[in-house]
Amino acid sequence: MSGVTEVDSVDVSTTLAPASIGTLKVRNRIMMSPMCQHRANGDGRPNDWHLVHYGSRSVGNVGVIMLEDTAVLPDGRLGNGGLGLYDDAQVAPFKRVIDFCHTNGATVGVQIGHCARKAFLVDGIEEAAAHDTIAPSAIPFNPESPVPRALEISEIPGIIEAFVAASRRAVAAGVDFIEIHGAHGYLLHEFLSAAANTRQDEYGGDLAGRARLLLEVVRAVRKDLGEDMPLSVRLSATDLVEGGNELEDSVQVAKWLRDEGVTLIDVTSGGLTSSPIGAHSVKQPALAAAIREQAGIATVGVGGVNTIGDADALINEGACDIVGIGRALLRNPFWVREVEGSLVGFRPEPHEKYRGMD
């Protein structure tokens, strides 16, 4: 894969070897996938809970920590507990978490997005109805949820600028890279999918029209970031709904994103409609492999990874360049250190001094 080079080697595990992906340098290829925690207390700011949540995974030797979905506008949050980077006052609390993770050797990204017709549904229908819910078309997320209003073309520059401003705040907070959320039924994904986008203007119609907003957001963010900072996009490689996007559509979108300077595609699936958590996860690594091969871009593979053998198989078979792990790291923040210990024996970090016996 172009742009991916080994920096070092660990004989017993490819995944645990340091590597470079473009200009992104990682101590190992394990990424903590972005998972919404709903602990921001209504102000969009990380707090002590987030410091412990993310900080413990950095102490646990996770290579890449992707901070959970972070809203670019107040009404774009999944719920009142969602994080946000829509206000300058949110920068310092993010920096506190990011600095601590850096101190422990982790690479840190933040996923920025807008929940659109899914906004505030986690807090209930009444709460969702109290907010300005937007979408590409006036189609609700499900029959019970509020009907969103279709975004006016005149509002689109403001959406793009909100993504740029959020990415700028993330940089000020010290992140190593940005991920734009274009999956799971969020605003940019809704525009991408014919199952949610029935517009007849230049932001609808064929795939190129439906991808227009995502590409304009990426172009604007890339211009603001400059050429050096890595940029990732999360894509649902298949919508898993009738009339939605299929893998071949996502391969084409990934090619366009590559040409706009995107470094990495974080490959997932579904999200336009309700489905059980993890229902399709075991099939997602194959989607990452297809996008990596056919679009010629580095990928994150997620889904069904519970052992280092699972992770190594994905890397060694060329399915992906980084392995995203979610539930295993929720269960055990020291999963990576325990794997390392089982492979090469327990080795305390230089600052850790142990006395006595276990």
Side-chain angles (χ1 to χ4, degrees):
M1 170 58 56
S2 175
V4 181
T5 58
E6 292 293 334
V7 175
D8 200 351
S9 64
V10 173
D11 292 340
V12 291
S13 171
T14 312
T15 311
L16 296 180
S20 290
I21 300 169
T23 59
L24 185 67
K25 300 184 185 306
V26 297
R27 65 179 169 186
N28 61 59
R29 296 173 184 261
I30 297 294
M31 183 181 90
M32 181 180 180
S33 292
M35 295 172 283
C36 296
Q37 302 298 302
H38 309 293
R39 299 296 185 106
N41 301 325
D43 60 6
R45 304 182 193 188
N47 50 44
D48 287 352
W49 195 92
H50 299 89
L51 180 67
V52 172
H53 174 64
Y54 290 113
S56 61
R57 276 78 189 173
S58 71
V59 173
N61 283 359
V62 173
V64 183
I65 292 175
M66 181 65 73
L67 302 182
E68 67 202 76
D69 170 57
T70 297
V72 301
L73 288 169
D75 280 333
R77 289 173 290 164
L78 196 60
N80 281 301
L83 293 177
L85 276 169
Y86 46 79
D87 189 294
D88 289 346
Q90 294 160 333
V91 172
F94 268 91
K95 190 174 189 306
R96 176 173 176 248
V97 174
I98 294 164
D99 285 352
F100 184 81
C101 291
H102 280 160
T103 297
N104 291 290
T107 298
V108 184
V110 63
Q111 183 187 78
I112 58 173
H114 190 298
C115 293
R117 66 183 188 176
K118 294 176 75 171
F120 293 91
L121 284 177
V122 72
D123 293 340
I125 300 299
E126 290 186 4
E127 180 66 24
H131 294 269
D132 181 23
T133 305
I134 60 171
S137 304
I139 303 172
F141 175 65
N142 58 45
E144 294 76 34
S145 61
V147 177
R149 65 177 183 84
L151 194 67
E152 299 287 343
I153 286 184
S154 61
E155 297 176 281
I156 286 178
I159 295 292
I160 296 170
E161 177 52 35
F163 274 90
V164 172
S167 69
R168 195 176 297 153
R169 293 185 183 103
V171 171
V175 297
D176 299 293
F177 70 112
I178 305 289
E179 178 165 285
I180 293 171
H181 202 335
H184 290 170
Y186 283 28
L187 181 65
L188 300 179
H189 183 198
E190 291 172 21
F191 268 87
L192 271 177
S193 179
N197 181 352
T198 59
R199 299 173 75 100
Q200 300 301 309
D201 58 24
E202 59 264 44
Y203 290 93
D206 63 8
L207 182 62
R210 300 195 310 273
R212 182 184 180 107
L213 180 56
L214 172 61
L215 295 176
E216 288 182 348
V217 166
V218 165
R219 193 173 302 132
V221 170
R222 168 52 76 204
K223 180 179 179 181
D224 194 73
L225 290 177
E227 296 181 359
D228 293 335
M229 176 168 279
L231 180 61
S232 173
V233 173
R234 195 165 216 202
L235 286 182
S236 287
T238 174
D239 288 343
L240 302 170
V241 297
E242 184 177 355
N245 288 345
E246 302 292 347
L247 177 59
E248 56 266 31
D249 301 306
S250 295
V251 168
Q252 179 58 66
V253 172
K255 290 178 180 177
W256 289 332
L257 291 170
R258 177 201 64 200
D259 293 344
E260 293 291 345
V262 169
T263 311
L264 188 67
I265 303 293
D266 187 354
V267 182
T268 182
S269 62
L272 274 177
T273 57
S274 299
S275 61
I277 293 175
H280 314 290
S281 63
V282 294
K283 300 179 180 178
Q284 288 170 182
L287 300 173
I291 288 176
R292 186 177 190 268
E293 178 181 357
Q294 296 175 41
I297 190 168
T299 59
V300 178
V302 301
V305 176
N306 290 296
T307 70
I308 195 63
D310 296 334
D312 280 343
L314 296 181
I315 297 295
N316 294 335
E317 293 167 7
C320 58
D321 305 278
I322 290 178
V323 178
I325 296 181
R327 282 163 287 170
L329 282 172
L330 285 182
R331 290 191 295 267
N332 180 5
F334 300 101
W335 185 89
V336 176
R337 291 195 69 173
E338 289 187 2
V339 167
E340 291 171 333
S342 70
L343 294 175
V344 298
F346 176 72
R347 294 184 299 186
E349 297 296 316
H351 63 280
E352 296 174 336
K353 298 186 183 298
Y354 291 84
R355 297 178 182 273
M357 300 292 290
D358 288 342

